[in-house]
Amino acid sequence: MAGLLGYAIAKLWIKPIVGYNIEKRRLDREISRYLKRTDATDESQTSSNEPENQEILKAVRKSVTNLAARNSTELPAWYRIFLVSRQESPDKAMKLLAPLAKIKDRHQIQTRVDQARKALRLS
């Protein structure tokens, strides 16, 4: 009986919460990689058109979409309530980060990234 209960808790609570946190850290890593890459390029270049930046932005979009999907489908209701009480919103972060490839102004990119990090309670 204890094993069955432990399996249910691990499968329904622990695994989704750990997956959510791993995806959140992956997103933070990709965002940091993108910002380092854009800081390294010239001001005159449009950095989002470079192939490596396109791959990074694709990874950012994938991670933020996965994070929002995990939030809406996989996480237990009590944990979603906990995230709301902490004012953590993957949906808001998705709205901020999804159109990042279309933005050319570096200040606007930095502002959106900062807002998304705040929405996800990342550093």
Side-chain angles (χ1 to χ4, degrees):
M1 190 66 170
L4 183 62
L5 182 62
Y7 175 78
I9 289 173
K11 181 80 172 162
L12 299 175
W13 287 356
I14 296 172
K15 189 175 178 185
I17 292 170
V18 168
Y20 174 84
N21 287 321
I22 288 171
E23 195 67 46
K24 192 165 84 166
R25 285 193 303 270
R26 182 179 299 136
L27 175 62
D28 190 35
R29 202 170 41 245
E30 293 297 333
I31 289 171
S32 297
R33 196 170 130 211
Y34 177 69
L35 290 177
K36 286 178 190 173
R37 182 90 173 123
T38 57
D39 288 343
T41 59
D42 278 346
E43 289 289 330
S44 61
Q45 292 179 345
T46 307
S47 60
S48 63
N49 291 334
E50 295 177 18
E52 186 174 340
N53 283 351
Q54 289 296 328
E55 289 299 316
I56 295 170
L57 287 172
K58 186 177 177 181
V60 167
R61 279 192 306 273
K62 182 179 177 184
S63 289
V64 76
T65 304
N66 287 344
L67 197 64
R70 283 181 187 266
N71 181 49
S72 63
T73 60
E74 292 181 15
L75 290 178
W78 64 267
Y79 195 75
R80 285 194 300 263
I81 293 168
F82 172 71
L83 292 178
V84 169
S85 72
R86 288 181 52 189
Q87 297 177 343
E88 186 171 322
S89 175
D91 295 328
K92 183 177 178 183
M94 186 173 70
K95 289 176 186 172
L96 290 166
L97 294 176
L100 211 56
K102 298 176 187 173
I103 301 171
K104 305 297 182 204
D105 183 25
R106 288 177 190 220
H107 178 68
Q108 183 67 23
I109 290 171
Q110 185 65 47
T111 302
R112 281 182 168 259
V113 166
D114 291 342
Q115 289 174 347
R117 281 184 166 161
K118 185 178 177 184
L120 293 172
R121 295 183 52 98
L122 297 168
S123 52

